[in-house]
Amino acid sequence: MTREEKSQVIEELTAQLADNTNIYLADISGLNAGNTSDLRRACYKANVQLNVVKNTLLTKAMEASDRDFGDLPTVLKGNTSVMYSETGNAPAKVIKNFRKKSDKPLLKGAFIEEAVYIGDDQLDMLVDIKSKEELIGEIVGLLQSPAKNVISALKSGGGTIAGIIKTLSEKEG
């Protein structure tokens, strides 16, 4: 690879790092062609982009990036693949599901919304991370519950203030 080609790859990696807030580093070495194809298919279905990278070029891209990747560059040894996703837990779910039938991929580390996670032991915690959409859904559900109680009390209280107060007090008890 020429110096110009390396520079171009570093620029492309730096742009990808800037464009993605959820970045996973995994080791997929040892997977045969069929398993690698299955993993790529699982990533595609989960809207996760999977790329094999050269550690030295990724390290330089991380250094050139505006982001603070903390200790993440320290895991760049051996075989490394980068997984990008709009959903913070999607790559973790793909890895966990895939490992039901294989011992790979191994999670080397992850960068999720400015937080850095190092090591395969972080996988279960990353699977449990909620996406923004899931959090918003839970908050909306929590906010709707008291409003539903008031509306229900208005309907069942017979339209009188005393009836509404009685219904609401019964629901609290």
Side-chain angles (χ1 to χ4, degrees):
M1 186 179 277
T2 67
R3 181 173 283 156
E4 292 82 26
E5 290 171 330
K6 287 180 182 179
S7 293
Q8 179 154 358
V9 170
I10 292 169
E11 283 179 32
E12 290 170 5
L13 283 170
T14 304
Q16 285 180 320
L17 293 174
D19 291 345
N20 291 282
T21 56
N22 304 305
I23 302 161
Y24 282 65
L25 303 178
D27 176 359
I28 66 169
S29 65
L31 292 179
N32 63 30
N35 286 342
T36 302
S37 179
D38 291 344
L39 177 61
R40 289 189 179 281
R41 191 173 303 108
C43 286
Y44 179 78
K45 287 179 181 177
N47 204 23
V48 173
Q49 182 182 350
L50 175 69
N51 297 325
V52 176
V53 295
K54 192 165 174 129
N55 291 329
T56 55
L57 301 180
L58 183 56
T59 300
K60 290 181 189 237
M62 286 180 167
E63 290 168 359
S65 172
D66 293 336
R67 293 198 170 138
D68 178 13
F69 289 100
D71 290 336
L72 204 53
T74 64
V75 302
L76 294 175
K77 295 174 180 80
N79 182 298
T80 304
S81 296
V82 183
M83 302 171 91
Y84 303 104
S85 174
E86 289 184 21
T87 307
N89 63 0
K93 287 181 177 180
V94 168
I95 292 171
K96 188 164 184 162
N97 286 336
F98 200 80
R99 290 215 328 228
K100 290 176 182 174
K101 58 185 173 195
S102 174
D103 61 342
K104 295 276 177 124
L106 294 176
L107 176 68
K108 291 179 156 193
F111 178 85
I112 314 289
E113 305 275 344
E114 308 295 324
V116 176
Y117 302 87
I118 304 290
D120 194 60
D121 59 333
Q122 303 291 311
L123 185 62
D124 287 331
M125 184 174 56
L126 291 169
V127 167
D128 292 337
I129 288 178
K130 295 193 184 293
S131 69
K132 288 178 186 176
E133 292 78 15
E134 290 170 326
L135 284 175
I136 289 170
E138 284 185 14
I139 290 169
V140 167
L142 290 171
L143 293 173
Q144 284 180 342
S145 182
K148 287 180 181 175
N149 287 343
V150 171
I151 291 169
S152 169
L154 288 171
K155 288 180 180 175
S156 67
T160 65
I161 292 180
I164 294 168
I165 292 172
K166 180 180 179 213
T167 304
L168 285 173
S169 65
E170 288 171 358
K171 288 191 181 214
E172 287 179 17

